Every structure is written in structure tokens, then in C-alpha cells.
Amino acid sequence: MGANNDYNSPSFKKLLDSLQQQSWELELIISGFAIFGLFTAYEPLRIETVNAENQQQIYRFVVYLILQISCSILLFNLLLHVILRGLWIGSLGLRYVSGDIEFEKLRYSERFTKYLQKRIVSFDRYIANLENYCSVLFAISFLLIFYVLAMTMIILSIVLVANFVIESDYLPEGLSSILGVVLIIFIITGMTLTFIDFLTQGWLKRKKWISRIYFPIYWVFSFLTLSFLYRPLVYNFLDNRFGRRLILLLVPIYIAILMITSLEYRNSNYLEKDEQSSSTFANKENYADMLVEDGDFPGQVVIPSKVINKPFLKVFVPFSENLENRIFAYNDSLRPKNDRRGLSSSMKITTNWSDQITSARQKDSIRKMYLRTFNETHAFRIDSLDMDEDFILTTGINNILGFETYLKISNLNEGKHLLRLRRKRKEKDTVVTVTDVILPFWYFKD
């Protein structure tokens, strides 16, 4: 290893000291570019999070939610950093013009003079404190992203244990349940102890007998939370008074921001704008011409508009995982032995083309049965009139997969009508019909 790269060499330490003195310039440049990029990315991330939630794609939802939370944390911290750094630069400029604070020239009473001298001490001390807070805040902004990632890894571990251990088809039922419960208890206990150790800034590591019990848990969770990637940064914060103070200060600030952003003003005791469509309310998620914003996601049923002036009514039912679960519950023969939903790779490597052709034919046959089952379980009624429909698969609004059909309405009277989506479901040995959606619309002939 060369002398320039040896962290023990005097030249390398001198280089770090020199860079440390000029780090504020790099901080402002990085903060400026980062804030611009984060503001640009925030809205697309929010939209993707909402879309993944509406489509019930849990993996996409978790990924985009983590990115959105990380983006929010960085935006808040970097904006605060730029404000404080701007105040620091302004203070330096004022110091060049005015020098230190001369309390005698203010001619305040003795009581106020002593109080201010005790609180402020000197203008140089104020500048030094600003410098410390700016530097620590910039570094902690990126450390908090790792904390979000650590919390996500813990939650993901619990989900993986539940899916691949407790509900495993490869382990005996009793063993999978016992092993799964033990692992989940261990993860929750370790998570709680790690969080307590974080809040107390290492109290569990200081007590000799507790540290012996906590060490193996700490060792496991250092890999589970990926803390080995950022551990030096954490302990460099904890051995610094400013770092400890700022970490403890930011936690209640984030909680306060979360509470403030969740507040909303209600201007009615009974009326809300996010109600589901009914005979008395029309939600825009059910009308295609009202889904104009990027974040608008179609509801369970979508028709072109509130006002229809054509002799037919186009109806679109978006696909979702919950809808497929209902299909399986009604027709158990469609339920696959191995559920392939979730993350998977589109890369396929095979040399047996005949098996691929056979598999494609089997899938085509199953899709037809799937569609027949959907048509059997779903029907429409306009007012008290049952409608004939024949759904097909298609990609509709925003390239979303779903089921589409056209209802003949030329014989309807002009005026308001109610479209009802009725669905069959099995309850034990009987089949019952329930109404899932009610949409109001108006029909006027051209």
C-alpha cells in the first residue's frame, strides 16, 4: 500500500485535515444537486407507491415506500443543512464587518448584560457551533437512510419467516410452526433490544452481565440490519457530544412532522370527498374521463363518464391479486400447486422446445377456464334490469391489465341510472351473490 493511501501515514492525515477545512464547499454543492434531484424524484415515487398499493403489489409497494421515506428524510435534512450553512456563511461575513460582540457598546443594564454574556459568550462560539451542527447534520442525513433500510430488513425478515418457514410445504407442519415462532420471537426480541440500545446510545453495551447476553443478538443483527456497512459512522457520532445531541433531537422532530402532516381540516360532519361510489356519491376513480392526473388510479369498476350518450356502455374491471384470490376460492381447480406470484425473473433458459410448446398450450387452456370463471362469477344489473355481458382480457387505462365488456343500454329511459356489479362467492356449500360496486350515471340519447 502506497504512502498516499495509508491511513496511518502523516501525509494522508494532513490531506484529510486539509479536506476537512474545505468540506463546507463540497457539502453545499452536493446538497444543492441532491435537493434538486430529490424534488424531481419525490412526486414520481409517490405516484408509484400509490399505484403499487392500489394494484396490491406488495414488493413494489415496499421498495417505492422505502425510496419515498428516504427521499423525504434527505429533503428535510438537506434543506435544514442549507439553511444553517447559509446562516453560517452570513455570520462569517458579519464577523468580517463587525468583529465580535461588544456588549459594553449596547449599554444594557447589568442584569441583561451578564445574562447575554453567559448565554452567548462570544460570536466566534456561535459560528463554531453552527459549523459543528452543519457538518454533523450533513453526515447524519445519509446515516438515517441506513436506519430506514435496517428497519425494512427486519420487517422483511419477519415476512420471509412467515412465508417460507411457517407456511413452508417442505418442512413438517409441527416443525415449521415451532421453528417459525421461535425465529419470529428472536427477531422481535432482538429488534426491541437493538432499538433500546439505540435510544440509550449504548447502555446495553456498558453493563457487563447484560452485554454478555446482548452480544450474540448484536452480532446477528449487525448482519440482519447491514450495520457493518455504516458502523464506523455510527460510533463516530456517538463519541461526539454534538452528534449524540442531534440524533436525540431529530427523533422527536420527525415524530412531530409526521403528526403535523397527518392533520387535516374537516369542514363537514357527514360529507367526505373520498367516499366509495354509491347511489348518492360518484367517486372520480370510477369514471375514465376524470382520471386525468398521474396519481389517479382506477377503482374496482370504471365506465367512460358520468354522462353516456351512446347506445352501449363500456365497462372495465382492473385486475388485482385480491381478484385472483376470489377466483381461486370459487374455482379451486384453478389454484396452482406452486403460486408464482411475486418477484421473479423473466430470463428463461431451456433447450426442450417441445415442453415449452406443451406448457404454452396448457396455460392457454387454463386462461380460457379462468376467463369463464370470471364471467360466471361477475354480472351487471342496471336499476332492476339484469344485463348480458361477456368479458375479455385487455389492457385499459394507463396500460393496466383488466377485464372489459360492453353493455347494451339503448332501451333505457333517459336520466339517472345505477350500475351494480354483482359477484358470486362460495360460503361453505352454498353460492351467494353480493353487490360489490354501485355506480350512478346519466343516459341521454344523441
Side-chain angles (χ1 to χ4, degrees), residues 359-375:
S359 176
R361 289 174 178 172
Q362 290 174 345
K363 288 180 180 178
D364 187 57
S365 175
I366 293 173
R367 287 193 191 101
K368 290 179 180 178
M369 185 186 299
Y370 191 109
L371 189 57
R372 284 198 300 270
T373 304
F374 183 84
N375 275 291

Side-chain angles (χ1 to χ4, degrees), residues 306 308 412-418 441-445:
K306 291 178 186 175
I308 307 296
L412 292 180
N413 296 325
E414 291 187 337
K416 179 185 174 183
H417 299 277
L418 295 178
F441 71 95
W442 284 260
Y443 174 57
F444 296 101
K445 299 177 182 178

Side-chain angles (χ1 to χ4, degrees), residues 157-158 160-168 171-188:
S157 300
I158 295 173
L160 290 176
V161 169
N163 288 340
F164 295 102
V165 178
I166 295 178
E167 298 182 4
S168 174
L171 296 173
E173 185 175 348
L175 178 61
S176 64
S177 298
I178 295 172
L179 182 60
V181 170
V182 169
L183 287 174
I184 287 179
I185 291 174
F186 174 77
I187 293 172
I188 293 175

